[in-house]
Amino acid sequence: MKITFVCTGNTCRSPMLAAMFADYARKVGFACETDSAGVTGGGSPVNPKTVNVLKSRGINASDGVSKVFDENLAETSDFVFTMTEEQKNYLLAQHADAKVYALCDVCGKDIADPYGGEQSVYDALGDEFESLLGEILDFVEKKSAKTPDAEA
C-alpha cells in the first residue's frame, strides 16, 4: 500500500507527516510505503525546521528535494492525504480518479502551514501530527476494508 501526503510546496508539512507516518506504521506493523508532494513548487530542499522536528523524534530525516504531485503519484497512491480541503479539491480537479482525502476528513480541521514560523511552530506541528497518526491509520484501514461495491 502506498500513502502520499500533500501540502502546498512539499517542504514542511507533507515531508514531515510522511516520515512520521512511515515510522509509526513500521512500529505498529502496518506495511506501507509513504511519499510526499506539493501542489506547487518542486526542486526546493526540505525545510531545516522540519528536519529538526524529525531528528528530535528519532526519525531518519532526509534532506530531500520537493516535488509536485503528478499523474504517476495519482495512479500509484492508494491513499492521498492533503493538508487542506482546498488542496484536496485542487488535486481532484486535476486527477479525478485519485483517492484523495483531506486531513480534515480524518480530524475535522485543516492543518495550518508553518512556513515562515519559528522552530516552536514546527515543533507544535510535529505534536499535532503525532496525535493524528493512529487516526490516519484507522481511516486507511476502514476505507481499505470496504469493497468497491460498498463505496458505490
Side-chain angles (χ1 to χ4, degrees), residues 7-8 12-17 83-84 87 111-114 125 129:
C7 66
T8 303
C12 303
R13 292 173 289 179
S14 58
M16 183 188 299
L17 185 52
M83 301 297 142
T84 68
Q87 291 164 349
I111 306 298
D113 193 345
L125 178 62
F129 282 158

Side-chain angles (χ1 to χ4, degrees), residues 78-79 97-101 139-152:
D78 298 293
F79 287 87
D97 293 334
K99 295 176 186 149
V100 183
Y101 303 92
F139 186 92
V140 167
E141 288 179 327
K142 285 177 186 168
K143 290 287 184 184
S144 296
K146 291 184 178 182
T147 63
D149 293 334
E151 289 183 359

Side-chain angles (χ1 to χ4, degrees), residues 9-46:
N10 191 219
T11 61
C12 303
R13 292 173 289 179
S14 58
M16 183 188 299
L17 185 52
M20 290 178 73
F21 191 81
D23 183 66
Y24 175 78
R26 181 185 54 76
K27 288 176 180 173
V28 300
F30 181 74
C32 72
E33 171 190 351
T34 63
D35 204 345
S36 69
V39 294
T40 63
S44 298
V46 172

